Amino acid sequence: MPVEQIAPVVDREALLPGAQFIDAYSVTIGDNALDAREAATRMVEHGPRWIGTLMRLRNIVVTPFGLKTPAPGGSARGDRIGSFPVLSETPTRIVAGFDDSHLDFRIVVDVVDGAAGRRVIASTLVLTHNRLGRTYLAAIMPFHRLVVRAMLGRVAQ
């Protein structure tokens, strides 16, 4: 099944009050046993290699601006998915993300049962704080769309 952009189905104000950006992508899968943690792990820790390269380049570029640069690698156990801190978790939803001086972001992975099968929905929410945050968001947006689609494609494999 192809990855498709959908209307966000998360409560923006409950997850990141004041968020100016929100999007969502969805893929239908055949794995009825998949839960939110496993879906998020497949997305973040087992995504295409080019995403890791892109993230390393991002970290090099943003370091002079004092932005957070997560340590490489990660763990799908406990309080992290890859380099992202887990903020809340149920079997059907995991919320990860962090707050920084330029922006706050949340990644929400939902696993829902539907008429066509189980769907994994990845939503991203962003709250910018200043000009640097708005500039950063504008600069990464083309990459964000490619990355999310590629990560969800891995879940479907």
Side-chain angles (χ1 to χ4, degrees):
M1 284 280 189
V3 175
E4 58 185 354
Q5 187 168 11
I6 63 170
V9 294
V10 297
D11 182 350
R12 175 189 317 231
E13 291 306 310
L15 292 166
L16 189 60
Q20 302 105 331
F21 173 81
I22 182 171
D23 71 358
Y25 292 85
S26 170
V27 67
T28 300
I29 61 168
D31 185 352
N32 289 331
L34 186 76
D35 65 8
R37 177 167 284 272
E38 180 60 27
T41 299
R42 287 185 195 177
M43 289 175 62
V44 174
E45 295 192 12
H46 304 292
R49 290 178 198 230
W50 62 266
I51 294 174
T53 302
L54 195 59
M55 289 304 295
R56 286 189 293 280
L57 177 62
R58 175 248 180 230
N59 290 345
I60 291 168
V61 170
V62 303
T63 297
F65 297 100
L67 304 184
K68 290 183 180 178
T69 54
S75 172
R77 295 182 242 340
D79 62 349
R80 299 186 89 68
I81 295 289
S83 59
F84 302 117
V86 172
L87 304 174
S88 67
E89 180 176 2
T90 68
T92 59
R93 171 176 280 178
I94 194 162
V95 179
F98 56 80
D99 301 342
D100 204 347
S101 61
H102 67 306
L103 60 75
D104 303 341
F105 80 95
R106 302 294 181 266
I107 301 167
V108 182
V109 177
D110 288 303
V111 178
V112 297
D113 291 323
R118 185 163 280 194
R119 286 192 323 153
V120 177
I121 302 168
S123 304
T124 306
L125 299 94
V126 179
L127 171 63
T128 60
H129 298 301
N130 49 39
R131 184 177 303 159
L132 177 59
R134 290 184 297 276
T135 302
Y136 177 82
L137 182 61
I140 67 158
M141 195 49 52
F143 302 103
H144 165 75
R145 291 181 183 110
L146 292 171
V147 167
V148 174
R149 287 178 183 274
M151 293 169 99
L152 272 175
R154 285 294 177 129
V155 174
Q157 290 179 345

